[in-house]
Amino acid sequence: MTPYEELTSPQEMRADCEAAGRRLRLEAHLARAAAAAARPAPSIHFADFPRELPKREIRISDAATRIANALHLHLD
């Protein structure tokens, strides 16, 4: 479109926007956003979170140890 061309009518532009909104399913996104906005905010109080979380165990296989030793990566 060149700068000299006229834009389409406002009715046509509105119809194009509505068609794009239907194609993108904007109503569903807006409904999810409205539901998220209505939910209460998460707590910021320390007592609401667990104090002790178990640490995951990291196991190093024999194959990984051999590869690390071959690359001189000493991961002790």
Side-chain angles (χ1 to χ4, degrees), residues 20-37 39:
R22 282 191 303 275
R23 179 84 173 168
L24 295 172
R25 295 186 292 265
L26 293 180
E27 289 85 15
H29 295 294
L30 290 174
R32 272 195 303 247
R39 273 187 252 136

Side-chain angles (χ1 to χ4, degrees), residues 5 8 10 13-14 18 21 24 26-27 30 32 37-38 42 44 47 49-50 54-56 62-63 66-67 69 71 73:
E5 290 182 49
T8 60
M13 288 190 280
R14 179 183 173 103
E18 288 174 350
L24 295 172
L26 293 180
E27 289 85 15
L30 290 174
R32 272 195 303 247
I44 60 170
F49 294 95
K55 298 204 183 331
R56 295 186 307 176
D62 292 336
R66 285 194 303 275
I67 291 171
N69 287 335
L71 296 173
L73 302 173

Side-chain angles (χ1 to χ4, degrees):
M1 181 166 141
T2 65
Y4 302 107
E5 290 182 49
E6 291 292 325
L7 296 175
T8 60
S9 70
Q11 293 81 11
E12 288 180 36
M13 288 190 280
R14 179 183 173 103
D16 289 344
C17 289
E18 288 174 350
R22 282 191 303 275
R23 179 84 173 168
L24 295 172
R25 295 186 292 265
L26 293 180
E27 289 85 15
H29 295 294
L30 290 174
R32 272 195 303 247
R39 273 187 252 136
S43 173
I44 60 170
H45 298 289
F46 182 76
D48 293 338
F49 294 95
R51 290 183 178 89
E52 293 292 328
L53 295 175
K55 298 204 183 331
R56 295 186 307 176
E57 182 180 326
I58 299 173
R59 287 184 271 160
I60 301 172
S61 67
D62 292 336
T65 304
R66 285 194 303 275
I67 291 171
N69 287 335
L71 296 173
H72 304 291
L73 302 173
H74 299 288
L75 304 173
D76 293 334

